[in-house]
Amino acid sequence: MTFERRSVALGLRDSLPIAVAVVPFGAIVGLGAVQVGLAKLQAILMPYLVFAGASQLAAYQLVSVGAPVLVILATTTMINLRFTMYSAALARYLTDLPRFWRFFIVFFTTDQGFVLALHRFEAEDPPASKRDYLLASWLPLWFTWTTSAAAGALLGATVPPSWRHAGRGREPATLRPGGGPVRPGAFWLMMLGMAFFAYLFRASFLLLGERMTLPPLLRRALDYVPAAVLAALVLPVFVDLGRPWAPADTARLVAGALAAAVAYRTRSVPATLAVGMGALWLTVWLLPGA
């Protein structure tokens, strides 16, 4: 098997800065999984099997309050429905790939990876090999997310239970299927269900193939999905209408505005990350209470 060099280089260049930024988030998620009462093995394997950070966080929060298994599975399934839009937008670019590569690659679909891929595929000079670009840009995101989450889980497992739950006034959370007694293996079944639906949504339009033809209006609407996804990822970081404005919000807004200006001007992910993080740290240091 050979790889097209430029496509691999573009994929790595686009994804590596984001992959580095994923590390602390993944570690926090892994640590949080252990803190809500998951066994070490469960906390380590869940990112590898499910690979859907938003639904994992929602599952951990529901586990912490003893929610029924079906409620957790239904909630995470609704969160992962967005992968159907990604599948619809990407399917037209993957039709030329062999069946194995199509169904292998889509497992690694993420919000960030989807935006990167659509941006490159719709550029004036797209990668010659879409397979190689996706492998080079998506696999680093998967690797850093899963390994950092596993590291966080291992770190959390070394913390004494009394430290993990100090000040909470309760024991570690347990999973209550249907609201009843704890069933051994219920979490594993739920995890497999989450993994199944997440992959099903990622591969949905590949499975349908040519049996489903999208109306022209919907096909045009899919061109705006990356912009909508990017807004959904970015705006909640800077604007939280559910609480009063705080100095930390000002710091994030200033850093975000500067990062957006650099991104628009340079089209460089490393420069955007460097300016954004630098501006955030500087503003937090200058603003009292931030």
Side-chain angles (χ1 to χ4, degrees):
M1 184 175 65
T2 58
F3 295 94
E4 203 276 318
R5 183 174 299 179
R6 177 176 175 270
S7 301
V8 172
L10 285 175
L12 291 174
R13 188 178 72 181
D14 288 347
S15 67
L16 285 180
I18 301 175
V20 173
V22 163
V23 171
F25 180 53
I28 291 172
V29 170
L31 180 62
V34 175
Q35 289 182 331
V36 300
L38 270 64
K40 179 170 64 175
L41 184 60
Q42 294 171 337
I44 291 174
L45 288 182
M46 191 169 184
Y48 287 94
L49 293 176
V50 179
F51 190 48
S55 63
Q56 288 173 229
L57 282 173
Y60 298 157
Q61 291 172 350
L62 291 171
V63 166
S64 69
V65 297
V69 169
L70 292 180
V71 170
I72 300 174
L73 185 58
T75 302
T76 56
T77 299
M78 293 300 295
I79 293 172
N80 289 333
L81 265 173
R82 71 190 189 282
F83 289 127
T84 305
M85 290 192 303
Y86 302 173
S87 178
L90 286 170
R92 53 183 163 168
Y93 298 106
L94 304 180
T95 52
D96 295 336
L97 295 182
R99 179 181 295 269
F100 167 79
W101 285 113
R102 291 202 305 267
F103 288 98
F104 173 75
I105 287 174
V106 293
F107 172 79
F108 304 98
T109 307
T110 61
D111 301 316
Q112 299 89 341
F114 167 75
V115 172
L116 291 176
L118 262 291
H119 172 72
R120 282 295 181 187
F121 293 167
E122 295 175 356
E124 294 181 358
D125 187 18
S129 171
K130 295 180 175 60
R131 181 204 66 179
D132 296 349
Y133 176 84
L134 291 175
L135 289 174
S137 60
W138 287 6
L139 285 179
L141 298 177
W142 171 83
F143 178 79
T144 52
W145 168 259
T146 52
T147 52
S148 59
L154 290 172
L155 176 63
T158 63
V159 177
S162 59
W163 291 12
R164 296 182 211 158
H165 306 278
R168 297 187 185 183
R170 57 177 174 83
E171 293 299 316
T174 54
L175 190 65
R176 293 180 171 83
V182 177
R183 298 176 186 172
F187 184 86
W188 294 105
L189 292 176
M190 186 201 71
M191 187 192 302
L192 291 175
M194 290 176 60
F196 170 77
F197 284 111
Y199 182 77
L200 180 65
F201 296 149
R202 285 171 163 130
S204 54
F205 276 79
L206 296 179
L207 292 169
L208 292 171
E210 297 180 354
R211 287 173 290 179
M212 181 176 182
T213 303
L214 296 177
L217 181 62
L218 182 55
R219 286 201 300 268
R220 289 197 299 271
L222 290 174
D223 293 335
Y224 298 95
V225 170
V229 171
L230 186 62
L233 289 171
V234 172
L235 288 180
V237 177
F238 303 109
V239 180
D240 186 354
L241 300 179
R243 58 177 174 78
W245 191 265
D249 298 313
T250 302
R252 286 193 294 268
L253 192 61
V254 170
L258 290 174
V262 171
Y264 177 78
R265 184 70 178 175
T266 67
R267 300 292 196 274
S268 170
V269 175
T272 302
L273 287 174
V275 171
M277 293 304 297
L280 178 62
W281 291 332
L282 180 60
T283 311
V284 168
W285 180 68
L286 291 174
L287 283 177

